[in-house]
């Protein structure tokens, strides 16, 4: 099994879940992007993050969608590892869903944060949301950009 076509044929056959995972990982490792050095991959992720940061500042509604850093963790194990090891990717703190706030604060480690708190009639009455906001604001010394909208 040395090429993508052989792997795709194997993937189309019934296999146990562990073998399927192995085949998918092996197939991903053959892609040209898998040969990028870890540092270059992280630089690309940071450029994507900066683009998203500008979108959040210019159009606050973008802060309510899932961040690109989340999407790159679902591409391959290598991309996930690179993204999780790069605190700068996790600095735009999300409040929807509220569970993401703690995850992003943890993954951002000590990096400066961007916090936009979207207040509306629904989430202002939501205890879980309010707890997430308090958690983010407890990192006030790390917050570089704060907006309550």
């Amino acid at each position: 099994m040395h090429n993508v076509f052989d792997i795709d044929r194997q993937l189309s056959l019934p296999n146990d879940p562990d073998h399927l995972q192995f085949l998918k990982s092996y197939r991903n490792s053959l892609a040209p992007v898998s040969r990028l050095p870890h540092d270059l991959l992280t630089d690309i992720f940071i450029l994507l993050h900066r683009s998203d940061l500008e979108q959040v500042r210019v159009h606050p509604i973008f802060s309510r969608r899932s961040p690109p850093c989340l999407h790159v963790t679902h591409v391959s194990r290598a991309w996930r590892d690179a993204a999780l090891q790069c605190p700068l990717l996790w600095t735009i703190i999300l409040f929807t869903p509220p569970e993401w706030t703690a995850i992003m604060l943890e993954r951002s480690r000590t990096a400066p944060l961007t916090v936009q708190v979207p207040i509306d009639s629904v989430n202002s009455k939501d205890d879980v949301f309010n707890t997430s906001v308090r958690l983010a604001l407890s990192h006030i010394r790390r917050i570089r950009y704060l907006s309550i909208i």
Side-chain angles (χ1 to χ4, degrees):
M1 185 174 12
H2 297 287
N3 66 47
V4 173
F5 299 112
D6 291 338
I7 297 169
D8 286 344
R9 186 179 53 73
Q10 284 289 317
L11 285 169
S12 68
L13 301 173
N15 284 297
D16 70 272
D18 290 337
H19 188 63
L20 281 175
Q21 185 61 46
F22 167 78
L23 289 172
K24 289 177 182 179
S25 293
Y26 183 64
R27 186 181 193 288
N28 284 345
S29 73
L30 298 176
V33 72
S34 295
R35 291 184 222 119
L36 289 176
H38 187 281
D39 292 343
L40 182 58
L41 191 57
T42 303
D43 288 346
I44 293 168
F45 293 167
I46 290 171
L47 288 172
L48 181 63
H49 170 75
R50 286 184 183 154
S51 170
D52 195 52
L53 181 60
E54 286 306 311
Q55 287 294 326
V56 169
R57 285 188 181 156
V58 174
H59 306 286
I61 192 69
F62 282 110
S63 65
R64 295 176 186 230
R65 64 178 169 79
S66 56
C69 57
L70 174 62
H71 299 286
V72 299
T73 64
H74 294 190
V75 173
S76 70
R77 286 184 181 162
W79 282 35
R80 179 176 176 78
D81 291 343
L84 292 177
Q85 293 174 20
C86 185
L88 292 177
L89 297 179
W90 304 95
T91 58
I92 301 174
I93 305 304
L94 294 180
F95 297 99
T96 51
E99 307 80 50
W100 267 102
T101 306
I103 293 168
M104 297 192 81
L105 288 167
E106 178 185 336
R107 291 179 181 176
S108 66
R109 298 184 195 140
T110 60
L113 304 173
T114 295
V115 177
Q116 280 194 317
V117 184
I119 302 292
D120 60 33
S121 60
V122 175
N123 62 17
S124 66
K125 297 174 186 168
D126 182 345
D127 289 338
V128 176
F129 175 82
N130 289 327
T131 299
S132 295
V133 170
R134 281 193 292 278
L135 177 61
L137 294 177
S138 73
H139 293 259
I140 193 75
R141 31 181 208 289
R142 292 178 45 208
I143 297 175
R144 174 182 7 165
Y145 178 82
L146 173 63
S147 175
I148 299 174
I149 51 175

